[in-house]
Amino acid sequence: MSKSLSEFKYMTFDVVGTLIDFEGGLKACLAEIAAETGIEIDGERALSLYREARYSGDADLFPDDLVRVYLTIAPTLGLPADRKCGERLRDSAKNWKGFADSAAALASLAKNYRLVAMTNARRWAFAFFEKELGNPFHAAFTADDTGTEKPDPAFFEKVFGYIASEGHSKDDILHVAQSQYHDIGISRKLGLTNCWIERRHDQKGYGGTIEPAEFTTPDYHFTSMAGLSAAVAAARA
């Protein structure tokens, strides 16, 4: 490993999937709609259908795109193809929960690092995520701020420019994320030190996140934010 965890000045974070349990939120909302319809659905199958629909060529920004996604997957799941249900799925983002360890880990890390959020979600949704996480961020970049989504290098370059304005460089960043496709692979190509939070370590497949063309071995690897926080505490002791 090129640098100790104690040497970084910034930690940049993917939010949805790393800190916010979007899969749990999606499954819960779809299950509620299904129950009202008098049926049950398989959550993992729903995530697979979501993933296929979400990454189509006509996708909108997230989570606004959940309206279109719902209308695409509802017939296959046996759910009502009703736009109001799609809007309900979109609006459920306002109530998605952080993983149990997210807020405490971020609060601990914020004592020694500048935390920067990097999310493909729109700013309106991030406002709810940030509040759920305890408002730990020094700065935040959303799809609205960058005009693009990860893994587009332009998203990262926008963040690099901001950090340069504070007198630092990408060498001072540890990029933390769960998505191999959106974050870990591209951060390696851009020369960042990265940390993979493998949230689905005890589950098969990639769930609601697109599978990468190739797996990237991360510089640091934990199965939780608590694991990263503990490793930082040990490195700084």
Side-chain angles (χ1 to χ4, degrees):
M1 295 180 184
S2 58
K3 298 183 73 170
S4 165
L5 287 170
S6 63
E7 295 182 74
F8 298 100
K9 295 179 175 63
Y10 292 83
M11 287 191 180
T12 52
F13 288 90
D14 168 61
V15 177
V16 178
T18 303
L19 305 174
I20 295 291
D21 183 10
F22 87 103
E23 291 186 351
L26 289 175
K27 289 191 291 185
C29 185
L30 291 171
E32 289 173 0
I33 295 171
E36 292 166 7
T37 309
I39 65 172
E40 293 184 6
I41 59 172
D42 179 88
E44 286 299 306
R45 178 167 180 258
L47 287 180
S48 179
L49 292 170
Y50 156 81
R51 183 180 65 244
E52 293 174 7
R54 174 71 182 104
Y55 298 108
S56 67
D58 58 345
D60 194 3
L61 293 178
F62 186 84
D64 296 32
D65 193 45
L66 290 177
V67 179
R68 181 194 64 82
V69 167
Y70 175 84
L71 293 173
T72 300
I73 68 177
T76 304
L77 292 172
L79 300 178
D82 184 340
R83 183 176 176 84
K84 289 185 178 179
C85 291
E87 292 171 351
R88 180 174 168 182
L89 184 63
R90 175 198 65 200
D91 293 344
S92 73
K94 299 176 182 179
N95 300 307
W96 292 351
K97 300 301 181 183
F99 289 99
D101 61 349
S102 292
L106 290 168
S108 178
L109 294 171
K111 296 175 183 178
N112 295 297
Y113 307 91
R114 293 179 180 179
L115 309 186
V116 178
M118 295 176 59
T119 179
N120 285 349
R122 300 198 67 177
R123 175 62 67 167
W124 73 259
F126 175 72
F128 290 95
F129 302 155
E130 184 175 35
K131 183 177 180 181
E132 167 68 13
L133 296 168
N135 300 301
F137 298 109
H138 173 71
F141 292 83
T142 71
D144 288 321
D145 302 312
T146 63
T148 188
E149 297 182 346
K150 298 173 295 175
D152 188 340
F155 195 118
F156 287 81
E157 293 295 341
K158 187 84 170 182
V159 177
F160 296 161
Y162 170 77
I163 288 175
S165 75
E166 296 196 335
H168 300 286
S169 75
K170 65 182 179 182
D171 293 336
D172 296 311
I173 301 170
L174 177 67
H175 186 60
V176 184
Q178 68 86 27
S179 176
Q180 281 276 328
Y181 173 79
H182 295 97
D183 292 271
I184 302 302
I186 185 62
S187 62
R188 169 60 48 73
K189 291 178 181 178
L190 294 176
L192 285 171
T193 304
N194 56 35
C195 174
W196 184 34
I197 305 297
E198 189 183 1
R199 287 294 189 185
R200 290 181 59 91
H201 64 96
D202 56 353
Q203 298 172 275
K204 294 181 179 180
Y206 284 84
T209 303
I210 193 169
E211 184 174 353
E214 58 182 2
F215 179 83
T216 299
T217 301
D219 296 293
Y220 289 93
H221 179 197
F222 303 98
T223 58
S224 67
M225 282 293 297
L228 169 59
S229 182
V232 165
R236 300 187 70 90

